[in-house]
């Protein structure tokens, strides 16, 4: 697959620029009269500060004079305490309503930065420069921003669209394989809910050739953008993008509150997609052949997450906090076929338990 120099995806109100020359577009935007007098801030975590900021500044000279805001790496930074520290820092450094926040990082940074930008002085302008595969294909696109409430994922947030998103695939060279796979999980989700052709394309991706990821990244961005533009506030079809996330978010929350190692978002979603595919089959929506295809492919990339069966009911308790729920019922998006997804499906607890058992017993 050929590498991409520059491709623009139009959204409602802003542009997503993807390719190795994408930051050149940001440089032009920040040189525009509307931004010339603005005070610019860059939000990084400790990793992107060291590994990505020098490259970003070299490609966007306007960032040389920006003030740097740094947060710890990881999901724990998506908290109201970190938000408060950032609001104070912006105030202390003289940020006004015309200031600009550049979010340079993965999904945690773009979620957190978008929320801070949307709430500071009732909203300041912001741009996303996603540096992780997860951020590039999913978290930075679509305008959903927010923070966690304790260990409960994304319980406080906004719909807040950035002024632009700039996806430079060269940042992916800084990532360990586990973080690449975390983003790949969301790409799998895009294929399963929307595009059987893309599903087949993903089977050809090689993580030993970063250029082979560039066209699939573009396809994921296009898929998510099309769905978001048709349903920006998640009242209907956008809910299909939550496939794998009801169980996935519960697994993430459980890992954060317990003694097990913290699970990356994409690892949890991969588990969630296997379980929710099983539930789709259990409900006679998805064929046994498709269930086997999905499960085999996911397990060919992801190591099984070990969860004590005694904790299954705790996972269901966590699922009851999911934002999609209605009337105390756990609601999921389920597959009818590969590339065809139904939102708002009421799933009883016994089906969830069966799916967790299916996942744990899978041997390929």
């Amino acid at each position: 697959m050929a590498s991409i120099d520059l491709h623009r995806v139009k959204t409602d109100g802003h542009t997503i620029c993807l390719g190795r020359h994408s930051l050149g577009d940001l440089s032009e935007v920040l040189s525009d009269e509307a931004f010339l007098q603005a005070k610019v801030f860059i939000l990084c975590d400790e990793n992107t500060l060291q590994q990505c900021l020098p490259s970003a500044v070299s490609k966007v000279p306007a960032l040389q004079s920006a003030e740097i805001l740094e947060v710890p790496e990881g999901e724990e930074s998506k908290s109201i305490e970190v938000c408060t520290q950032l609001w104070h820092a912006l105030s202390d450094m003289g940020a006004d309503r015309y200031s600009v926040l550049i979010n340079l990082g993965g999904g945690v940074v773009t979620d957190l930065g978008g929320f801070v930008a949307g709430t500071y002085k009732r909203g300041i302008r912001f741009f996303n420069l996603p540096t992780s595969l997860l951020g590039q294909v999913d978290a930075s696109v679509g305008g959903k921003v927010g923070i966690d409430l304790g260990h409960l994922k994304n319980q406080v947030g906004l719909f807040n669209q950035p002024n632009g998103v700039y996806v430079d695939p060269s940042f992916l060279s800084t990532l360990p394989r586990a973080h690449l796979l975390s983003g790949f999980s969301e790409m799998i989700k895009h294929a399963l809910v929307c595009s059987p052709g893309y599903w087949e394309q993903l089977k050809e991706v090689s993580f030993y050739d970063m250029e082979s990821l560039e066209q699939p990244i573009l396809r994921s961005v296009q898929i998510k953008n099309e769905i978001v533009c048709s349903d920006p506030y998640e009242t209907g079809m956008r809910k299909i993008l939550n496939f794998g996330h009801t169980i996935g978010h519960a697994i993430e929350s459980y890992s954060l509150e317990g003694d097990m190692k913290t699970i990356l978002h994409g690892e949890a979603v991969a588990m969630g997609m296997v379980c929710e595919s099983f539930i789709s089959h259990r409900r006679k929506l998805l064929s046994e052949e498709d269930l086997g295809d999905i499960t085999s492919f996911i397990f060919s990339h992801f190591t099984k997450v070990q969860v004590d069966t005694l904790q299954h009911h705790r996972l269901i308790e966590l699922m009851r906090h999911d934002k999609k729920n209605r009337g105390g019922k756990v609601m999921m998006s389920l597959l009818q076929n590969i590339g065809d997804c139904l939102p708002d499906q009421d799933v009883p607890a016994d089906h969830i338990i069966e799916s967790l058992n299916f996942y744990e017993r899978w041997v390929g």
Side-chain angles (χ1 to χ4, degrees), residues 217-237:
I217 290 170
L218 173 60
R219 185 68 187 115
S220 269
V221 168
Q222 290 170 331
I223 287 172
K224 181 163 187 183
N225 182 56
E226 289 165 7
I227 294 171
V228 168
C229 287
S230 71
D231 180 21
Y233 296 108
E234 201 174 36
T235 58
M237 189 51 63

Side-chain angles (χ1 to χ4, degrees), residues 8-311:
R8 296 182 181 90
V9 179
K10 293 293 184 182
T11 76
D12 289 341
H14 69 279
T15 300
I16 304 167
C17 293
L18 187 148
R20 295 177 182 271
H21 298 160
S22 60
L23 294 191
D25 260 37
L26 176 60
S27 188
E28 290 183 17
V29 168
L30 293 180
S31 298
D32 187 83
E33 186 176 347
F35 292 95
L36 275 178
Q37 303 303 316
K39 196 170 182 65
V40 178
F41 298 84
I42 304 175
L43 178 63
C44 306
D45 66 25
E46 52 202 305
N47 290 331
T48 58
L49 178 68
Q50 298 296 324
Q51 299 177 17
C52 302
L53 183 59
S55 174
V57 170
S58 71
K59 295 176 181 180
V60 187
L63 300 183
Q64 291 175 0
S65 58
E67 299 279 3
I68 307 300
L69 303 169
E70 181 187 356
V71 296
E73 183 270 338
E75 188 72 22
E76 290 80 1
S77 284
K78 282 177 58 174
S79 69
I80 193 64
E81 292 79 14
V82 172
C83 284
T84 300
Q85 293 168 11
L86 291 172
W87 290 321
H88 280 298
L90 287 168
S91 181
D92 292 344
M93 289 188 280
D96 58 28
R97 293 187 70 180
Y98 303 96
S99 295
V100 176
L101 181 62
I102 309 289
N103 298 319
L104 180 69
V108 168
V109 169
T110 57
D111 277 3
L112 173 66
F115 182 74
V116 168
T119 48
Y120 181 74
K121 293 188 182 291
R122 296 198 179 96
I124 63 174
R125 297 171 292 183
F126 74 103
F127 295 90
N128 286 334
L129 274 63
T131 60
S132 70
L133 186 55
L134 175 64
Q136 293 186 358
V137 301
D138 196 71
S140 69
V141 178
K144 285 169 72 172
V145 300
I147 57 173
D148 302 337
L149 187 62
H151 294 134
L152 298 174
K153 288 276 295 182
N154 300 332
Q155 294 289 296
V156 181
L158 307 165
F159 288 99
N160 187 27
Q161 293 288 355
N163 289 74
V165 179
Y166 298 87
V167 177
D168 185 344
S170 66
F171 285 131
L172 299 181
S173 64
T174 67
L175 297 178
R177 182 178 174 83
H179 286 260
L180 287 171
L181 283 171
S182 184
F184 191 60
S185 180
E186 293 287 358
M187 299 165 78
I188 293 171
K189 177 198 74 179
H190 293 149
L192 289 176
V193 302
C194 201
S195 176
Y198 184 37
W199 170 249
E200 295 303 321
Q201 183 184 357
L202 289 181
K203 293 178 180 179
E204 304 303 318
V205 167
S206 169
F207 289 96
Y208 298 101
D209 174 15
M210 288 295 99
E211 285 191 4
S212 77
L213 280 170
E214 294 185 25
Q215 292 291 342
I217 290 170
L218 173 60
R219 185 68 187 115
S220 269
V221 168
Q222 290 170 331
I223 287 172
K224 181 163 187 183
N225 182 56
E226 289 165 7
I227 294 171
V228 168
C229 287
S230 71
D231 180 21
Y233 296 108
E234 201 174 36
T235 58
M237 189 51 63
R238 185 171 178 172
K239 293 178 184 179
I240 67 174
L241 293 173
N242 291 311
F243 173 67
H245 283 63
T246 303
I247 291 175
H249 277 164
I251 291 294
E252 270 191 279
S253 295
Y254 176 70
S255 78
L256 289 168
E257 72 179 17
D259 295 329
M260 64 188 295
K261 82 174 184 69
T262 300
I263 298 170
L264 295 176
H265 175 74
E267 294 172 330
V269 169
M271 177 178 176
M273 288 190 292
V274 169
C275 292
E276 293 177 28
S277 293
F278 172 84
I279 293 169
S280 302
H281 174 64
R282 175 72 171 74
R283 299 281 287 272
K284 303 187 185 306
L285 297 170
L286 186 71
S287 72
E288 185 171 358
E289 180 182 0
D290 283 347
L291 172 62
D293 190 18
I294 292 165
T295 304
S296 295
F297 183 68
I298 288 174
F299 273 119
S300 73
H301 286 86
F302 294 88
T303 302
K304 187 178 290 186
V305 176
Q306 301 296 331
V307 180
D308 189 335
T309 56
L310 296 176
Q311 298 302 318

